[in-house]
Amino acid sequence: MTYSFKNPSQDVIFDYLKQAKTIAVVGLSNREETAAYRVSQFMQAAGYRILPVNPRALGETILGEPVYASLADVNQAVDIVNVFRRSEFLPQVAQEFLEIDAKVFWAQLGLESQEAEELLRQAGRTDIVMNKCIKIEYAAMVD
């Protein structure tokens, strides 16, 4: 049996984007050729504050913002956690997400995890988007 996650409605996804100001990007590096970098750069240009989360880049600055080692180290309000890590890492990121006061767990296009979804739902968190590109959704919203 294949796992099939059901995303919220398009209107709900647009509401997440309209209400958000700050996006923590897990897996963002300074490699400009990566999807994580290009998508984050686009969202930053659209007016969102981007907070890079990547333990290997700690001490660096990406897109003009200091890098955090983990979500737990982010010392400000986070609206969306946008994850650019392989699906097998999503449960670990979901666990970290539950330890901070972020609103929306968002796994980028191509990423989904039943285990991560179950962890989040068991904790009462239902604001979950998986296997969708935040840049594509934003572009559709402002179109």
Side-chain angles (χ1 to χ4, degrees), residues 51-122:
L51 304 174
V53 178
N54 184 337
R56 286 185 295 200
L58 188 62
E60 295 177 31
T61 302
I62 300 173
L63 294 171
E65 295 283 350
V67 178
Y68 296 92
S70 71
L71 288 172
D73 295 329
V74 176
N75 54 4
Q76 53 198 293
V78 172
D79 298 308
I80 297 174
V81 172
N82 191 15
V83 187
F84 282 91
R85 299 219 41 220
R86 291 194 314 270
S87 293
E88 64 260 31
F89 294 112
L90 291 179
Q92 175 192 340
V93 179
Q95 197 61 55
E96 284 185 35
F97 172 88
L98 292 172
E99 293 164 17
I100 68 168
D101 193 29
K103 295 178 181 77
V104 181
F105 181 89
W106 192 307
Q108 199 53 30
L109 196 59
L111 303 178
E112 56 182 32
S113 163
Q114 184 170 359
E115 187 184 342
E117 179 190 3
E118 287 168 0
L119 268 170
L120 294 165
R121 291 199 189 281
Q122 284 166 2

